[in-house]
Amino acid sequence: MSFFLRTNYQIYHATHSPQTFYKYPVQSISQLASPPFLSIYLTKNQSIRLPGSYSSYSKMASHIVGYPRMGPKRELKFALESFWDGKSSAEDLQNVAADLRSSIWKQMADAGIKYIPSNTFAFYDQVLDTTAMLGAVPARYNWNGGEIGFDIYFSMARGNASVPAMEMTKWFDTNYHYIVPELGPEVKFSYASHKAVTEYKEAKALGVDTVPVLVGPVSYLLLSKPAKGVDKSFSLISLVDKILPIYKEVVAELKAAGASWIQFDEPTLVKDLDSAQLRAFTKAYSDLESSLSGLNVLIETYFADVPAEAFKVLTALKGVTAFGFDLVRGSKTLELIKSGIPSGKYLFAGLVVSTSCSLLHTAVDLVNETKLDKEIKSWLAFAAQKVVEVNSLAKALSGHKDEDFFSANAAAQASRKSSPRVTNEAVQKAALALKGSDHRRVTNVSARLDAQQKKLNLPILPTTTIGSFPQTVELRRVRREYKAKRISEEEYVKAIKEEINKVVKLQEELDIDVLVHGEPERNDMVEYFGEQLSGFAFTANGWVQSYGSRCVKPPIIYGDVSRPKPMTVFWSSTAQSMTKRPMKGMLTGPVTILNWSFVRNDQPRFETCYQIALAIKDEVEDLEKAGITVIQIDEAALREGLPLRKSEHAFYLDWAVHSFRITNCGVENTTQIHTHMCYSNFNDIIHSIINMDADVITIENSRSDEKLLSVFREGVKYGAGIGPGVYDIHSPRIPSTEEIADRINKMLAVLETNILWVNPDCGLKTRKYAEVKPALQNMVAAAKLLRTQLASAK
């Protein structure tokens, strides 16, 4: 059996998006062969020592788990959006995709990577690709069989004029998202997308022999949910016998095409699985064994340690040649490898150096960077650089070490360690002083809500939006030209004020109760704040895919964080001066800023989070002094950072929730604190959400088929204001007044009238005004309809 030695000698939790890029000081082969630098694959037919002597690594090779698909200049993003807007053809989109795949494969081949992945490219996400491969299309999309094309594929991802999209949720604890399969006993699976085989042949025609990658059958089922109308207790893994015939067909076609390796990604093995779920892995791979005969089979895990019971199951799987373990975030697995390999069964030969998971979660190429200064740039590596580094490690471990390469790495590490830019003693002292207090507001939420209502005088079922309004082409042009110094600050401020005024007037016309300024001055909800905080660095082209065509540029936190001056007060005050209605001050919370940044590795994450919390606290108090009475502190990524293992949940939630409370513990009772969360499963952390002690929480609900409401049906009492989203903003579909009213009625069945808010699922940045205006108009109409009905029922 084989275990691939998976590494980055950077601090690359690279699987937890966003991750750090900082380099470890690797100066010797023995360091390279020690955690936390490695994840390991062990291979058949020769013994090795772990970690150990130079002779142990004489047959070292290199492997990449996956690679960013958007392109160095976001070519796929623009091609997708052009196609969705009807400005280009399906053929145009396919041509852009083929060019990107070709360049990625050739880049890896030129770098000397031996095991190059294929089928990691996706037009939306790899789980949706698997749904297409299995023909698991929900009935509402009216698919009539045959090869699934873009119409059905993108309808599942984005919805269409007549039906909503499938649920979207976070991929493990990253900022990447996937489309959740909807399965049940009546689903008729069929081989409906030949993409994996087509892409393998495409690479082979270019002279590149690749390792086709498939989402493993058991992880696919465990990442799914019961379809609407299917009993929630339905066992998804009971469907394994129905999907394995399709996997066998795919494997047969890959073998016929000449594939010698195949990679199954089974990342759910790092989670807390029960015995029935673990047995499903044994059953699945036992059933696949004869089909896999003649192939080298690699099972990939990543994101955390593999628990001991799962390790036993995994290493006993039949027909499997190699296993991939993440020793960057799962260093305990090394002890299992050393002591837990079944006696007499595993003989090890050769090692393969690889990434700890797919490079999908990093930016593409540092060569494209013009914004980073020379010192900070020397501390970093993006996906293209990591490919080179992985191969350099493999060569070094085979006895062909590039001394100049490793000397440069050591010099970069020394530079970062000694740089005065990294440490701010005043910030560290302030963060240390936080210990000993839980930073709660002095009055309970019920009393605060009473005081706020007297001041705000809102109707029942108050309406609001989450923050952003559409970012038009003209608005983006204004920001771009201001950054390029092609227009003056005076011209920029004038243009942004005009946009804010337009958004304010629109909301007043729609009769929305609590307004937002639309955030026209902001590029991204994290980048905007990071650009104004010390300790952050920024890229020009460091884009990372979040979902579909949506990309973000995570800031890089390299040092202690502080707020040199107010960040949002001017724009919020300007917006409030344009209306008599309450205007929300809009901030991003410390946990979300942390989880959506590439975070320094030289101190615990919670210490960095507390520093950010103190900076946001300063901003909250300045907004209050400026007369802003409603302040929203978004924590969209709080759930995302939850560790994958339950034993680690309590510690994370303690410091994450504490960080949020720090930001607003000093405001008056009459200042209403909102927070917002989206696109995760919140039911299992509802008590921590209550512990955040916000006055109002708005939370995604409609796209996840109102899953959130079930927690309240089960008896959880929520006394603060709450706004479960009434429509999905990630779909171009416009919901009717009746549909929204029906959703509100479902909420009223489990929530008190006096705490319920009416709002969309998330911000409106990615939508067009032609969609936003009628959707919000219907939302307000639904709220007014319910107010009338509630009044007449008294």
Side-chain angles (χ1 to χ4, degrees), residues 606-624:
F606 69 85
E607 290 187 13
T608 302
C609 198
Y610 285 158
Q611 293 179 2
I612 302 169
L614 288 171
I616 299 301
K617 181 176 186 289
D618 290 343
E619 188 72 13
V620 167
E621 293 172 1
D622 280 348
L623 282 168
E624 185 182 51

Side-chain angles (χ1 to χ4, degrees), residues 2-185:
S2 111
F3 292 73
F4 285 54
L5 223 144
R6 276 196 292 135
T7 179
N8 264 328
Y9 67 107
Q10 288 102 18
I11 300 237
Y12 169 34
H13 292 165
T15 59
H16 178 156
S17 177
Q19 323 309 324
T20 48
F21 293 128
Y22 300 124
K23 297 179 181 177
Y24 277 122
V26 176
Q27 298 172 349
S28 69
I29 294 295
S30 61
Q31 280 183 282
L32 288 173
S34 304
F37 310 114
L38 304 177
S39 285
I40 296 191
Y41 299 82
L42 302 165
T43 38
K44 228 179 202 179
N45 298 329
Q46 184 182 351
S47 64
I48 62 168
R49 295 188 292 275
L50 284 172
S53 68
Y54 294 80
S55 62
S56 300
Y57 305 102
S58 60
K59 294 185 179 180
M60 190 65 60
S62 53
H63 167 255
I64 301 296
V65 178
Y67 198 83
R69 54 182 75 121
M70 278 291 137
K73 297 181 180 178
R74 292 182 291 163
E75 292 89 342
L76 182 59
K77 169 188 172 66
F78 299 121
L80 282 167
E81 292 173 356
S82 176
F83 174 71
W84 293 338
D85 288 343
K87 296 176 181 176
S88 58
S89 67
E91 184 181 6
D92 294 330
L93 177 56
Q94 290 283 16
N95 287 340
V96 170
D99 288 344
L100 285 171
R101 290 192 295 268
S102 173
S103 66
I104 290 167
W105 291 326
K106 287 180 178 178
Q107 174 191 346
M108 290 194 222
D110 291 345
I113 301 298
K114 181 174 181 180
Y115 300 110
I116 297 170
S118 61
N119 199 42
T120 57
F121 182 91
F123 286 103
Y124 213 89
D125 83 75
Q126 67 272 26
V127 179
L128 183 61
D129 283 2
T130 310
T131 295
M133 182 185 84
L134 297 172
V137 181
R140 65 181 178 274
Y141 299 108
N142 296 317
W143 175 60
N144 296 315
E147 189 81 2
I148 289 175
F150 282 155
D151 54 345
I152 297 296
Y153 182 87
F154 288 128
S155 290
M156 290 191 287
R158 306 176 72 237
N160 57 43
S162 58
V163 292
M166 296 166 70
E167 180 184 350
M168 181 172 71
T169 197
K170 296 291 175 73
W171 176 246
F172 293 81
D173 56 353
T174 76
N175 187 28
Y176 180 69
H177 301 68
Y178 73 96
I179 301 299
V180 182
E182 302 173 11
L183 305 178

Side-chain angles (χ1 to χ4, degrees), residues 503-555:
V503 169
V504 169
K505 296 306 178 193
L506 172 61
Q507 291 172 92
E508 288 183 330
E509 289 168 11
L510 292 167
D511 204 17
I512 291 173
D513 299 303
V514 176
L515 311 189
V516 298
H517 76 289
E519 305 177 10
E521 78 285 9
R522 303 185 189 185
N523 43 14
D524 174 82
M525 65 183 288
V526 172
E527 184 178 6
Y528 176 79
F529 288 93
E531 285 177 336
Q532 300 181 77
L533 294 168
S534 64
F536 283 75
F538 297 88
T539 63
N541 295 294
W543 298 100
V544 178
Q545 185 182 14
S546 179
Y547 62 86
S549 67
R550 169 77 169 145
C551 299
V552 294
K553 271 193 302 178

Side-chain angles (χ1 to χ4, degrees), residues 267-311:
T268 57
L269 277 163
V270 305
K271 301 185 80 172
D272 297 307
L273 302 180
D274 60 35
S275 57
Q277 291 167 331
L278 289 173
R279 285 196 299 271
F281 286 93
T282 302
K283 175 178 175 52
Y285 286 93
S286 177
D287 196 352
L288 286 171
E289 183 181 10
S290 60
S291 298
L292 295 171
S293 177
L295 280 173
N296 292 295
V297 179
L298 165 62
I299 305 290
E300 276 287 355
T301 69
Y302 35 78
F303 297 153
D305 283 300
V306 175
E309 284 305 308
F311 183 85

Side-chain angles (χ1 to χ4, degrees), residues 312-326:
K312 284 183 192 175
V313 169
L314 176 59
T315 53
L317 291 179
K318 295 180 179 180
V320 176
T321 314
F323 308 101
F325 298 112
D326 181 345

Side-chain angles (χ1 to χ4, degrees), residues 471-479 495 499:
Q471 297 253 324
T472 63
V473 172
E474 174 61 18
L475 181 56
R476 293 177 190 274
R477 183 194 65 79
V478 168
R479 284 206 310 265
E499 181 69 18

Side-chain angles (χ1 to χ4, degrees), residues 193-399:
S193 171
H194 293 67
K195 175 178 172 290
V197 178
T198 300
E199 289 189 13
Y200 173 78
K201 290 178 178 178
E202 183 182 321
K204 193 170 183 181
L206 295 170
V208 182
D209 190 23
T210 60
V211 178
V213 178
L214 300 175
V215 175
V218 184
S219 286
Y220 175 79
L221 294 175
L222 293 177
L223 292 168
S224 303
K225 70 172 187 178
K228 196 167 186 177
V230 174
D231 192 293
K232 300 301 180 187
S233 64
F234 174 71
S235 172
L236 292 163
I237 57 174
S238 68
L239 297 172
V240 70
D241 287 335
K242 293 187 177 183
I243 67 171
L244 288 179
I246 291 95
Y247 274 89
K248 290 176 181 178
E249 286 189 70
V250 177
V251 168
E253 288 191 7
L254 287 169
K255 285 169 71 173
S260 58
W261 278 85
I262 188 169
Q263 174 179 318
F264 291 101
D265 282 3
E266 293 281 13
T268 57
L269 277 163
V270 305
K271 301 185 80 172
D272 297 307
L273 302 180
D274 60 35
S275 57
Q277 291 167 331
L278 289 173
R279 285 196 299 271
F281 286 93
T282 302
K283 175 178 175 52
Y285 286 93
S286 177
D287 196 352
L288 286 171
E289 183 181 10
S290 60
S291 298
L292 295 171
S293 177
L295 280 173
N296 292 295
V297 179
L298 165 62
I299 305 290
E300 276 287 355
T301 69
Y302 35 78
F303 297 153
D305 283 300
V306 175
E309 284 305 308
F311 183 85
K312 284 183 192 175
V313 169
L314 176 59
T315 53
L317 291 179
K318 295 180 179 180
V320 176
T321 314
F323 308 101
F325 298 112
D326 181 345
L327 298 191
V328 175
R329 296 184 64 202
S331 57
K332 294 176 185 176
T333 305
L334 182 59
E335 297 309 311
L336 293 174
I337 292 170
K338 288 179 178 179
S339 62
I341 303 301
S343 176
K345 185 168 186 181
Y346 299 100
L347 302 172
F348 313 118
L351 291 168
V352 180
V353 179
S354 179
T355 51
S356 63
C357 86
S358 174
L359 295 175
L360 173 68
H361 309 292
T362 67
V364 178
D365 195 345
L366 194 59
V367 170
N368 296 326
E369 280 313 314
T370 56
K371 197 171 179 179
L372 292 167
D373 66 58
K374 185 177 179 181
E375 182 182 34
I376 291 179
K377 194 172 181 178
S378 74
W379 301 343
L380 309 177
F382 291 178
Q385 287 68 49
K386 292 177 188 296
V387 167
V388 173
E389 290 167 351
V390 164
N391 197 57
S392 296
L393 285 169
K395 290 168 67 177
L397 289 165
S398 298

